[in-house]
Amino acid sequence: AAGVIQSPRHLIKEKRETATLKCYPIPRHDTVYWYQQGPGQDPQFLISFYEKMQSDKGSIPDRFSAQQFSDYHSELNMSSLELGDSALYFCASALNTEAFFGQGTRLTVV
Amino acid sequence: SQKIEQNSEALNIQEGKTATLTCNYTNYSPAYLQWYRQDPGRGPVFLLLIRENEKEKRKERLKVTFDTTLKQSLFHITASQPADSATYLCALAINNNDMRFGAGTRLTVKP
């Protein structure tokens, strides 16, 4: 069965650069979540979309933005990258309740 | 302030014993609560969901209880195996579009 696809799997960027992370949810799932997970930390909720509309916002810095497109894929845009942005970024999709997570994108800011 | 607390960062038990993990929350009124398993470097994997009107849910060797008065969920793994070693996260759903995770408990099952 198709799972949540995230790309790229790994990304290395320099400080002050911009990064774009992509997420392709499971077909027919109506909700997408983005989470940031630092080393040894729990996943921190960033933002979610329901039916392509932003539905909730967590601790997402103003430097970050996200959107969901007409084909339901979502992108997380991160600008003016800082060293502290280095983390695993997970996307999850859901239909009703159970969320399915992607493999994550490991972002390293140097 | 709103908090989700899981009993300990790490729990070590012997193979065959029952592991019990705790999730406590404050200032939330979740419609349901979920438990996820996470292996290093991987995304969380859904295990069980329990709704606010359910007291207990079972799935194979897993059992979850939910006490909305105590604001607590207990997650049990019976007859634990070394393959159960992982980090277990509880997640509260306020509604379908608002899911918050606890810090997780790292379980190690020793042979």
Side-chain angles (χ1 to χ4, degrees), chain A residues 1-106:
Chain A
V4 176
I5 307 294
Q6 288 188 247
S7 69
R9 291 292 309 279
H10 302 273
L11 189 59
I12 300 175
K13 289 284 185 179
E14 294 189 355
K15 281 195 305 183
R16 292 180 288 278
E17 282 194 313
T18 295
T20 297
L21 279 55
K22 296 187 179 183
C23 170
Y24 297 85
I26 292 172
R28 290 182 293 281
H29 279 196
D30 54 15
T31 304
V32 168
Y33 304 91
W34 283 98
Y35 289 88
Q36 177 193 59
Q37 189 172 30
Q41 305 291 314
D42 55 297
Q44 292 294 313
F45 173 70
L46 294 177
I47 195 166
S48 65
F49 294 88
Y50 175 70
E51 283 294 344
K52 295 172 279 186
M53 300 288 290
Q54 182 187 305
S55 61
D56 194 20
K57 222 171 177 182
S59 49
I60 182 169
D62 291 340
R63 301 178 288 108
F64 294 8
S65 64
Q67 54 183 326
Q68 189 174 21
F69 295 85
S70 57
D71 65 352
Y72 286 86
H73 95 273
S74 178
E75 294 183 3
L76 178 67
N77 297 293
M78 309 155 71
S79 62
S80 303
L81 287 169
E82 301 173 358
L83 295 178
D85 296 330
S86 296
L88 259 176
Y89 290 82
F90 287 108
C91 167
S93 74
L95 179 65
N96 297 323
T97 54
E98 177 184 344
F100 292 81
F101 283 78
Q103 297 273 50
T105 293
R106 182 173 293 284

Side-chain angles (χ1 to χ4, degrees), chain B residues 26-43:
Chain B
T26 53
N27 294 323
Y28 280 109
S29 296
Y32 56 88
L33 184 149
Q34 302 178 65
W35 284 88
Y36 286 79
R37 169 185 172 138
Q38 187 173 24
D39 291 285
R42 311 294 296 270

Side-chain angles (χ1 to χ4, degrees), chain B residues 5-21:
Chain B
E5 292 176 321
Q6 294 192 235
N7 55 327
S8 56
E9 276 191 26
L11 180 66
N12 299 315
I13 63 168
Q14 208 62 38
E15 182 176 9
K17 300 290 186 187
T18 296
T20 298
L21 285 65

Side-chain angles (χ1 to χ4, degrees), chain B residues 9 12 24 26 30 37 53 56 76 78 88 93-94 97 104 106:
Chain B
E9 276 191 26
N12 299 315
N24 294 293
T26 53
R37 169 185 172 138
N53 61 347
E56 183 179 296
H76 306 272
T78 58
Y88 291 86
I94 313 306
N97 304 308
R106 189 173 63 254

